[in-house]
Amino acid sequence: MKKRFYQPSLETMPLEQLRTLQLEKLKHQVLHMWNHVACYRAKMEAAGVTPDDIQTLEDISRLPFLSKSDLRDEYPYGFLAVPLSDCIRIQSTSGTTGKRVIAYYTKGDVNLWEDCCARAIVAAGGSNEDVVHVSYGYGLFTGGAGLNGGSQKLGSLTLPMSSGNTERQIQFMQDLSSTILCCTPSYAAYLGESMKSRGLGPDDNRLKAGIFGAEPWTEEMRQEIQSLLGIKAYDIYGLTELSGPGVAFECEEQKGMHINEDHFLAEIIDPDTGEVLPEGSIGELVLSSLDKEAFPLLRYRTRDICRLVRTECSCGRTFVKMARPMGRSDDMLIIRGVNVFPSQIETVLLKEGYPPNYMIEVDRVRNTDTLLIQVELPPEHFTDLLGDIQKREDHLIASMRDMLGITPKVQLVPPHTIPRSEGKAVRVIDHRKLT
Ligand code: ADP
Ligand code: ZN
């Protein structure tokens, strides 16, 4: 049966009531960490705070931050807050920015996480009538397990495809009439492109929606995927440290992701000073779990740069929305003193009609930073004359200069020459970091 919400009374809870619930849970979560996570207790003691100091939600700003390096220092079990015998699962981060962090879950933690994913599937129009095709990687990565669990809870027919083997993905999608696709946006674009090259257009599949996340993507990429596959594409956000995908998810408005505020408390801080910024400001997202058992985290610095917006949403959910993250603070490239996010480059390329297949290479030559953007020519322009290709490159350089404020080198390369990714796309090579 079709539902508008997976857990209506929670997802549409009036703000006042939500705040009361959050405060009650926060007090418990702080006490839980104080009692069971020695390294966090030591941090609290050093900051001169005790659990009794948390009397309002704003008091959270008195608690110390946690960062990925704190978790790495305590690898593997320093943050374990329950006996290991109460844990039933381990997952790990993708290790995009260094050594992997592991997370552990009790039955209750898995339950909560799967509820969050089920909410995301319902928000994308899913029900027990749907065939949910999960092409996120299975294994230690949280993508596959999270959406798989959410889909089963909802009673949808779940296809645990995992990533890779594009041929089989397309065949199963068609033979089994998949209606909802879950994977990274870059893999969705690749699947769409592969279908197109087999002569399969948007009407040749039964897909109606996609739930895409685990990496930054742009509005232009959304349009590209929607038209390639003939679906509505929804964003989903999460990180292993807080459970996995489903910390936040998009509703039918497709304008930002509702954070599951009954389980996670969000703040935006200035990444340089740590100061909490007023709602609506752009800054680093900091998340606290409110009811995790095995691996609770308070004031975890995600390094994801975004904005929170609390306006009435036509879907009826009361949870605050986060704008799509522009990328991580450590994804930001500083080139000749100018801040450049790879997502800005993607926006220009897709707006100018290029496919989302590109590579960004940064280097330092004779003390000057260089930026090279390689992008594939759209197949229909592959046979263009050399002079025309040169003109296209010049035009792209000018558009990039307008967007970024610096002049890159642009190189158009033949179609299908840039490696595709099945999980998180790797689009930046910074040679300066390698030396
Ligand atoms: P790792 O930090 O090693 O990549 P995870 O697999 O847990 O580990 O990935 C979590 C990170 O993925 C987030 O902190 C964020 O940077 C990125 N991410 C997840 N979902 C999205 C999304 N919808 N948009 C942008 N970035 C996302
Ligand atoms: Zn909404």
Side-chain angles (χ1 to χ4, degrees), residues 133 135 161 164-178 187 190-198 200 204-205 229:
H133 186 114
S135 307
M161 296 300 301
N165 201 337
T166 305
E167 201 63 51
R168 191 177 57 197
Q169 301 270 0
I170 296 173
Q171 192 194 335
F172 271 44
M173 193 179 281
Q174 294 208 294
D175 295 351
L176 307 178
S177 301
S178 307
Y187 193 53
Y190 177 48
L191 274 175
E193 176 193 336
S194 307
M195 286 159 79
K196 190 174 172 185
S197 68
R198 288 165 176 74
L200 301 171
D204 298 315
N205 67 63
L229 293 171

Side-chain angles (χ1 to χ4, degrees), residues 250-302:
E250 240 176 7
C251 63
E252 69 248 24
E253 269 206 358
Q254 293 180 295
K255 284 207 183 89
M257 296 174 272
H258 289 287
I259 297 181
N260 280 309
E261 286 191 286
D262 53 336
H263 300 306
F264 306 103
L265 191 66
E267 304 168 83
I268 293 285
I269 62 160
D270 177 326
D272 298 324
T273 62
E275 183 200 345
V276 178
L277 299 177
E279 216 156 73
S281 320
I282 294 186
E284 179 180 348
L285 178 66
V286 171
L287 290 169
S288 299
S289 62
L290 290 174
D291 41 18
K292 280 180 65 189
E293 296 168 342
F295 186 48
L297 287 184
L298 290 167
R299 303 200 90 199
Y300 184 67
R301 294 188 57 161
T302 64

Side-chain angles (χ1 to χ4, degrees), residues 316-345:
R317 288 177 182 81
T318 45
F319 295 156
V320 75
K321 281 192 197 175
M322 60 184 272
R324 61 172 71 247
M326 301 166 68
R328 304 189 211 219
S329 49
D330 40 10
D331 278 346
M332 189 181 78
L333 298 161
I334 303 180
I335 301 171
R336 284 171 242 148
V338 177
N339 299 346
V340 173
F341 274 100
S343 55
Q344 295 174 296
I345 294 176

